[in-house]
Amino acid sequence: MAQYINVVPEVLKSIRLSIGMDLAKISKKTKIPLDDLKSFESTTGKKPSLSELSLLAKAYNKPLAALLLYKPIKKPLQKDRKNC
């Protein structure tokens, strides 16, 4: 039985947009149906399973934890902390 995870739809959408990919490309890359992806990014939609989140994290080249944030990150994290 699949375990469904409560995620914040805006987080999923902001991560996808930050890498410049549309839902159709993500659907093709992950083999998750396009309607399901739309639903994950909708506030009234269905929740993704853990395996679907893992596929998304891999497609987005992000750690799974990034998809579980409670609010979207406004700006990308700095890569080089020496300049902080």
Side-chain angles (χ1 to χ4, degrees):
M1 178 180 254
Q3 182 179 1
Y4 296 97
I5 310 297
N6 284 328
V7 294
V8 178
E10 294 83 15
V11 170
L12 297 180
K13 186 173 183 176
S14 70
I15 291 173
R16 178 179 57 79
L17 294 175
S18 76
I19 61 168
M21 293 189 86
D22 62 25
L23 286 171
K25 287 180 184 177
I26 295 296
S27 178
K28 187 174 181 181
K29 193 171 186 176
T30 62
K31 306 220 182 333
I32 297 173
L34 183 59
D35 288 340
D36 286 354
L37 291 174
K38 288 178 183 177
S39 184
F40 299 161
E41 291 186 3
S42 167
T43 55
T44 59
K46 76 177 227 175
K47 304 296 181 194
S49 68
L50 185 56
S51 62
E52 290 167 328
L53 277 180
S54 294
L55 289 171
L56 289 173
K58 185 175 182 180
Y60 298 157
N61 196 29
K62 303 288 183 195
L64 181 60
L67 280 62
L68 300 173
L69 294 172
Y70 66 95
K71 65 180 183 178
I73 296 175
K74 299 283 186 201
K75 59 182 180 178
L77 298 175
Q78 291 182 355
K79 291 182 181 178
D80 185 7
R81 294 188 52 97
K82 287 187 231 175
N83 296 329
C84 295

